[in-house]
Amino acid sequence: MEEIVRAENLKKTFTLSKKQRKIEKTTIGRKTAVDGLSFSAYRGEIYGLLGPNGAGKTTTLRLLSTLIRPDAGDASVCGRSVTKEAYKVRDKIGFMTSELKLEGFFTPDYLFGFFGRLHGMDESLIRRRKEDLFARFGIDKFAEVKVQDLSTGMKQKVSLVVAIVHDPDVVIFDEPTNGLDVLTAKVVTDFLCELKAMGKSVILSTHIFSLVEKLCDRVGIIIDGKMAKDGTLDEVWAGKTLEDRFFEIYHTVTGETI
Amino acid sequence: MKLLALMKKEFVRFFSDPKLLINMLLPGILIYIIYSLMGNLIWQDAKEYKFVVAQTNAPEQIVAMTTAAVSGNGWSIEFQSGVQDAKERVEKGELTAYVVFPEVFEEKIGEYDAESGTPAPQVELYYRSADEESMSFFTLFTAVLDGYEHGKSNKFDVNAGGEKYDFSEETNVFATTMGRMLPFIVVALVFSSCMGVTLESVAGEKERGTLATVLVTSVRRSHVALGKVVPLSCVAAIGALSSFLGVVLSLPKLAGMAVGDLVASYGFTSYLLLFLLIMSVIPLIVAAIAALSTYAKSVKEASAYTSIVMIVAMVLSIAAAVVQSIGSWTVVVPILNAVVAMQGVLTLNISVWQSLVSVGLNLVYAVLLVLLIAKMLSSERIMFGK
Ligand SMILES: Nc1ncnc2c1ncn2[C@@H]1O[C@H](COP(=O)(O)OP(=O)(O)OP(=O)(O)O)[C@@H](O)[C@H]1O
Ligand SMILES: [Mg+2]
């Protein structure tokens, strides 16, 4: 088993704005979102970060994607350090969320080429990759239609495919099905299975148990920025339902019962 | 290559959307229509004047100068000599006016010595002040005589020098008003066209999260910043030029002059400097709005910040228009330096040095702002703050 992502003692503290302090009803100006987090993900597997709201999932994924820098600790993606070789890491990863982040004015064809060029790919490589991916995900018929005129499911597909234009080894996916209707959510889960079939490694975050049960090989339960439990599904599961196990763990960590 | 892809995208976005393109060109067209209409309203009555003037002993040169001045206003004139009962016919309104010069007028004023105390040669001008047409001729003709007399006493060459002097005097009055007003109008126009493209493209992309998708690729932050500021400046330049052309083409109508006359009164250097000044202000304003847009969390917030900057810029350029002589320290103040330099060019007090320093400094400020944007793009608090 080849280790492809390794997080070591990641720590990230935010300074809270006045507005945020009001919302969180606190007078403390700082919040440690990720608190000494360590875990490993392996090639060809889907790793799920499972945790409640505010547990630090998004922050962890942003740290791995080099969008933000850890205060302490480090992580490596394909052997590259996120703190020391950020640009190299960015070429190895695709980062996506369930929110559509494509400019509606352009066509899938144009956007695919645009992001390919941003990753420094040459035109013939972009063309070959486009033919392959567009055919595989059924976008080829809509390649010249503006994104804003596509159906929601097709938009979602385009947004996913564009994020892997550069053939990244690792796909980092924050809340893959959050806020999606059932049909679009299926587009996304199918896409994730396809990625796995293509031999990619995926790290996703979610608070949905069924998604983890259905897709993930490994799971890490994250509570208050700390890794409460991680391992293969079978290890974490320990013969119970994932849901029951989660609340057991939640209770041991926080002392709260729900 | 990556920078090129970023820039190209902005151009593609703009040039393949007719709506955006029309939005850019519209202000110029509107300005032209509105100003021309205003000009037509103001000069409507005057446009019809056809002077019929009786004359006795009028020197060729004065006749020529008068004819030129009249046609410069788009009017026409006919001089008649040897008219019977000319004074009565003026009174009856059959003639616009009647001018009487002493015999050999030119020789007489040539010999005349103002120090001698003897009466100066007399010119008689009969007209009716109640009649608008007659009054207009009176005003115009006395202005011509003034110029003529001025030319004589200053011992200018009678043919060329006198005539030319007169005209530049006329332009000067107009040039001063225009020079004080126009920079203000130009800054307002440039600002609004920069605002139109930049807010949407930068703050819009940040708000919708499409900017973040670019940041997860291995593109340099400075390229992202440049990839916005350069193409947006080009696009804004189209809008600004359209507005500017609208102003330049319609102002002569507003002033009741021919476009050719007005254009000719400023030299090539003036036009070049004006062009450079406007062009230097565009990237500066675009970069400033882009910086505010990068900082802001939403388009709404960005436009609020931008409005504040716009108001400051407007107040500065109005102040520059009102304050008579502004110190040369203004050359270091962005935008204001261009306003002051443009005023200099338009009021025919060109300072090439001041203009070029302003252009250079504004470009330097723009580059600094691009660096600032790049810094902000890598700031976690600004890009991912809550
Ligand atoms: N940029 C930021 N500035 C300040 N505080 C932040 C910032 N980002 C996250 N936080 C805080 O850090 C904590 C963890 O946030 P994070 O978004 O990582 O949680 P999450 O597990 O993704 O939650 P959710 O399920 O709501 O998406 C929260 O309390 C949040 O308010
Ligand atoms: Mg989150």
Side-chain angles (χ1 to χ4, degrees):
Chain A
M1 247 184 346
E2 185 195 344
E3 192 183 55
I4 195 136
V5 173
R6 178 200 197 95
E8 269 171 303
N9 225 354
L10 283 177
K11 190 164 177 169
K12 182 73 184 176
T13 303
F14 292 112
T15 315
L16 299 184
S17 63
K18 267 199 204 117
K19 200 173 99 194
Q20 230 180 329
R21 261 178 279 170
K22 228 178 248 167
I23 294 169
E24 308 221 341
K25 295 193 184 76
T26 167
T27 46
I28 307 158
R30 299 172 72 73
K31 161 92 192 178
T32 302
V34 173
D35 195 1
L37 201 74
S38 305
F39 69 92
S40 297
Y42 299 89
R43 186 180 285 281
E45 289 190 354
I46 300 185
Y47 185 98
L49 277 175
L50 181 68
N53 284 353
K57 305 182 293 291
T58 300
T59 306
T60 307
L61 296 189
R62 283 182 178 167
L63 286 169
L64 293 179
S65 318
T66 74
L67 286 172
I68 58 179
R69 287 176 62 88
D71 300 326
D74 201 346
S76 68
V77 177
C78 302
R80 318 272 185 200
S81 154
V82 296
T83 53
K84 297 180 203 81
E85 301 165 287
Y87 281 95
K88 285 186 181 155
V89 170
R90 280 179 206 152
D91 274 334
K92 296 278 179 205
I93 59 162
F95 181 79
M96 40 191 114
T97 69
S98 63
E99 282 169 62
L100 291 171
K101 288 184 175 160
L102 295 179
E103 287 169 86
F105 175 80
F106 295 102
T107 63
D109 187 68
Y110 187 87
L111 286 170
F112 194 89
F114 172 67
F115 280 99
R117 273 166 233 129
L118 288 196
H119 282 289
M121 296 163 68
D122 69 45
E123 295 301 320
S124 66
L125 183 60
I126 291 176
R127 190 156 24 80
R128 261 181 287 137
R129 186 104 180 113
K130 182 158 64 193
E131 276 164 19
D132 175 30
L133 287 177
F134 277 22
R136 190 189 285 248
F137 293 100
I139 300 173
D140 35 8
K141 289 185 236 45
F142 305 94
E144 299 299 337
V145 181
K146 281 184 187 172
V147 168
Q148 64 202 16
D149 299 330
L150 294 173
S151 69
T152 315
M154 191 53 69
K155 270 184 203 160
Q156 194 71 43
K157 267 191 205 173
V158 172
S159 138
L160 301 174
V161 163
V162 161
I164 56 164
V165 52
H166 55 304
D167 204 9
D169 288 330
V170 179
V171 170
I172 296 175
F173 209 146
D174 194 15
E175 307 274 7
T177 58
N178 211 14
L180 301 182
D181 68 83
V182 280
L183 292 178
T184 320
K186 175 137 171 49
V187 168
V188 175
T189 46
D190 287 352
F191 176 82
L192 283 169
C193 294
E194 187 71 27
L195 280 182
K196 192 179 163 181
M198 286 157 78
K200 302 292 172 202
S201 318
V202 178
I203 298 189
L204 59 82
S205 79
T206 185
H207 52 259
I208 304 168
F209 299 115
S210 61
L211 194 74
V212 176
E213 283 170 332
K214 192 173 156 206
L215 290 176
C216 296
D217 303 290
R218 260 164 215 281
V219 60
I221 292 176
I222 172 171
I223 295 167
D224 275 341
K226 295 190 186 71
M227 191 59 84
K229 179 94 192 163
D230 96 313
T232 62
L233 273 193
D234 287 336
E235 285 165 14
V236 175
W237 203 310
K240 302 188 179 164
T241 68
L242 188 57
E243 198 170 342
D244 288 344
R245 268 304 278 160
F246 177 83
F247 289 116
E248 249 178 60
I249 294 166
Y250 189 82
H251 179 70
T252 5
V253 174
T254 64
E256 292 171 30
T257 36
I258 294 156
Chain B
M1 266 337 280
K2 295 179 184 182
L3 179 58
L4 222 67
L6 285 165
M7 290 186 178
K8 206 176 137 206
K9 193 200 75 178
E10 297 297 321
F11 281 121
V12 169
R13 164 103 190 84
F14 184 79
F15 284 107
S16 45
D17 192 346
K19 259 194 308 208
L20 286 179
L21 203 65
I22 290 170
N23 273 349
M24 271 292 113
L25 298 176
L26 208 59
I29 297 168
L30 282 181
I31 287 164
Y32 179 72
I33 293 172
I34 292 170
Y35 273 41
S36 303
L37 280 179
M38 267 163 61
N40 282 342
L41 282 180
I42 295 170
W43 296 97
Q44 204 174 29
D45 306 332
K47 280 261 157 70
E48 323 250 311
Y49 291 164
K50 267 188 187 152
F51 302 131
V52 182
V53 177
Q55 61 91 6
T56 307
N57 298 330
E60 290 273 294
Q61 197 200 335
I62 291 184
V63 170
M65 282 167 72
T66 312
T67 313
V70 167
S71 61
N73 278 311
W75 305 326
S76 69
I77 187 166
E78 185 195 336
F79 276 106
Q80 298 178 345
S81 48
V83 181
Q84 299 279 312
D85 305 321
K87 288 186 201 173
E88 279 150 46
R89 294 185 61 188
V90 171
E91 234 182 307
K92 281 184 197 155
E94 290 168 20
L95 288 173
T96 310
Y98 176 39
V99 291
V100 188
F101 286 81
E103 274 177 63
V104 286
F105 174 69
E106 284 173 300
E107 265 174 50
K108 275 189 182 155
I109 57 164
E111 290 160 4
Y112 176 67
D113 179 8
E115 319 270 276
S116 71
T118 53
Q122 283 285 321
V123 178
E124 291 165 64
L125 170 52
Y126 300 96
Y127 71 108
R128 281 163 302 130
S129 62
D131 182 288
E132 245 184 69
E133 182 165 341
S134 185
M135 189 59 199
S136 297
F137 176 77
F138 175 82
T139 318
L140 185 135
F141 192 67
T142 45
V144 170
L145 284 183
D146 264 1
Y148 178 81
E149 202 189 342
H150 216 57
K152 293 286 179 191
S153 61
N154 283 341
K155 301 211 183 321
F156 272 116
D157 180 27
V158 173
N159 287 322
E163 211 166 334
K164 212 169 185 189
Y165 183 75
D166 215 359
F167 276 116
S168 69
E169 270 272 285
E170 276 219 336
T171 320
N172 238 333
V173 179
F174 182 65
T176 316
T177 0
M178 180 166 151
R180 298 206 159 272
M181 278 301 297
L182 196 59
F184 166 70
I185 299 173
V186 167
V187 169
L189 295 176
V190 168
F191 217 108
S192 67
S193 69
C194 292
M195 209 164 153
V197 286
T198 313
L199 278 180
E200 176 45 34
S201 173
V202 181
E205 274 212 45
K206 188 184 173 190
E207 188 178 341
R208 289 190 297 271
T210 52
L211 196 57
T213 53
V214 171
L215 296 183
V216 270
T217 66
S218 56
V219 193
R220 280 206 216 118
R221 279 15 181 187
S222 56
H223 285 188
V224 177
L226 265 183
K228 284 285 180 197
V229 171
V230 172
L232 291 178
S233 298
C234 295
V235 170
I238 297 172
L241 275 188
S242 138
S243 310
F244 184 64
L245 272 183
V247 172
V248 168
L249 291 180
S250 53
L251 271 178
K253 296 209 171 184
L254 199 57
M257 291 170 77
V259 179
D261 284 352
L262 185 76
V263 169
S265 64
Y266 297 107
F268 173 75
T269 321
S270 304
Y271 282 102
L272 186 68
L273 287 179
L274 276 184
F275 180 79
L276 289 178
L277 284 165
I278 293 173
M279 284 304 151
S280 76
V281 166
I282 290 171
L284 174 61
I285 295 179
V286 166
I289 301 176
L292 293 172
S293 299
T294 312
Y295 181 78
K297 288 193 180 64
S298 63
V299 179
K300 225 171 97 189
E301 200 181 320
S303 49
Y305 294 153
T306 307
S307 306
I308 295 171
V309 174
M310 179 158 174
I311 289 167
V312 172
M314 294 292 103
V315 168
L316 282 181
S317 33
I318 290 178
V322 176
V323 175
Q324 283 298 326
S325 58
I326 271 185
S328 52
W329 56 270
T330 50
V331 87
V332 297
V333 183
I335 302 179
L336 182 62
N337 57 10
V339 171
V340 172
M342 275 193 262
Q343 276 176 359
V345 174
L346 290 166
T347 53
L348 305 173
N349 300 312
I350 304 176
S351 163
V352 176
W353 172 85
Q354 190 195 16
S355 303
L356 292 182
V357 171
S358 303
V359 169
L361 275 180
N362 282 342
L363 292 178
V364 170
Y365 293 140
V367 170
L368 290 179
L369 281 170
V370 168
L371 294 177
L372 176 70
I373 296 169
K375 262 242 128 47
M376 289 199 285
L377 287 173
S378 11
S379 156
E380 293 173 15
R381 199 176 56 79
I382 289 168
M383 294 313 295
F384 302 102
K386 283 199 173 176

